[in-house]
Amino acid sequence: PSIVEQESMMHVWHMFEYLGNTIIFFLAGALTGNSMITIAWIDYLHLLVLYLVLLAIRGGLLFCSRPLMKILSADGQEVTRAEAMIMTWGGLRGAVGLALAIQVSVGKAGGHVSDQDAKRVLFFTGGIAFLTLVINATTCPILVKFLRLTQPDRTKQVMLLCLHKQLLARAL
């Protein structure tokens, strides 16, 4: 029998996506943990610098692309600085980069990459994914609240307050 309903197909594909991500993150975690034994301590400092540089590059690209994003948006609405900051901070790195790093670590480009360099690629990629999940993902709600992106504008607040008062008056 064929599956005709779009919602059912979406559930199936989301499950495949979830399983794929789970497998990739599990493999990357196991392989990265194994490679961490041979990684030099200076590479941990390099990882932190790389994390900050990647964050700065992403932020630079997003902030410089704001005029282009306004042109490409369907309604021509400008991307605010706060929204660009959330896009910068909320941009997580994950499964695709980890899958490629696993391939480099295992395949070693047909012998063209040394074992230590392959482990370093996996360490840096896994470390960046780890740092974005631990730092960015956990602090993004705080940043959203700080930037007041989820607060309704003043007009909407006044309308909601009036509606609330009218509902209370009719209920009593």
Side-chain angles (χ1 to χ4, degrees), residues 132-145:
T132 58
L133 288 173
V134 169
I135 296 171
N136 296 39
T138 58
T139 58
C140 200
I142 297 167
L143 184 61
V144 168
K145 189 179 280 187

Side-chain angles (χ1 to χ4, degrees), residues 12 16 18-20 25 37 45 51-52 58 65 76 83-84 97 103 105 124 135-136 145 161 170:
V12 169
F16 282 139
Y18 172 77
L19 291 173
F25 273 89
I37 298 168
L45 178 63
Y51 167 76
L52 294 173
R58 182 181 185 91
S65 299
E83 291 169 339
Q103 181 58 38
S105 177
F124 286 138
I135 296 171
N136 296 39
K145 189 179 280 187
L161 187 59
R170 289 184 188 209

Side-chain angles (χ1 to χ4, degrees), residues 4-172:
V4 183
E5 219 174 303
Q6 183 178 2
E7 187 176 341
S8 298
M9 287 304 297
M10 293 302 288
H11 286 296
V12 169
W13 284 112
H14 282 300
M15 184 54 69
F16 282 139
E17 174 192 14
Y18 172 77
L19 291 173
N21 279 331
T22 302
I23 291 168
I24 288 171
F25 273 89
F26 176 78
L27 284 174
L31 293 172
T32 302
N34 186 35
S35 71
M36 288 175 67
I37 298 168
T38 61
I39 296 295
W41 286 105
I42 192 69
D43 283 336
Y44 286 90
L45 178 63
H46 291 156
L47 174 63
L48 292 175
V49 171
L50 185 62
Y51 167 76
L52 294 173
V53 168
L54 288 173
L55 196 61
I57 290 171
R58 182 181 185 91
L61 283 171
L62 283 168
F63 277 91
C64 290
S65 299
R66 286 177 56 218
L68 180 63
M69 288 189 275
K70 179 181 179 178
I71 294 169
L72 294 176
S73 72
D75 59 358
Q77 190 174 2
E78 183 179 357
V79 175
T80 65
R81 287 188 180 125
E83 291 169 339
M85 188 173 287
I86 291 298
M87 286 189 271
T88 299
W89 194 251
L92 303 177
R93 289 128 183 122
V96 175
L98 289 173
L100 294 171
I102 290 170
Q103 181 58 38
V104 169
S105 177
V106 172
K108 295 177 187 59
H112 292 91
V113 176
S114 70
D115 189 48
Q116 185 62 26
D117 286 341
K119 286 182 180 180
R120 194 173 284 132
V121 166
L122 185 61
F123 170 75
F124 286 138
T125 308
I128 294 297
F130 173 78
L131 288 172
T132 58
L133 288 173
V134 169
I135 296 171
N136 296 39
T138 58
T139 58
C140 200
I142 297 167
L143 184 61
V144 168
K145 189 179 280 187
F146 175 76
L147 295 172
R148 297 184 176 140
L149 286 175
T150 56
Q151 277 189 331
D153 60 2
R154 184 73 184 135
T155 307
K156 192 170 186 178
Q157 285 179 340
V158 170
M159 287 177 54
L160 288 173
L161 187 59
C162 288
L163 180 64
H164 180 50
K165 285 179 182 179
Q166 287 178 1
L167 287 173
L168 281 176
R170 289 184 188 209
L172 300 175

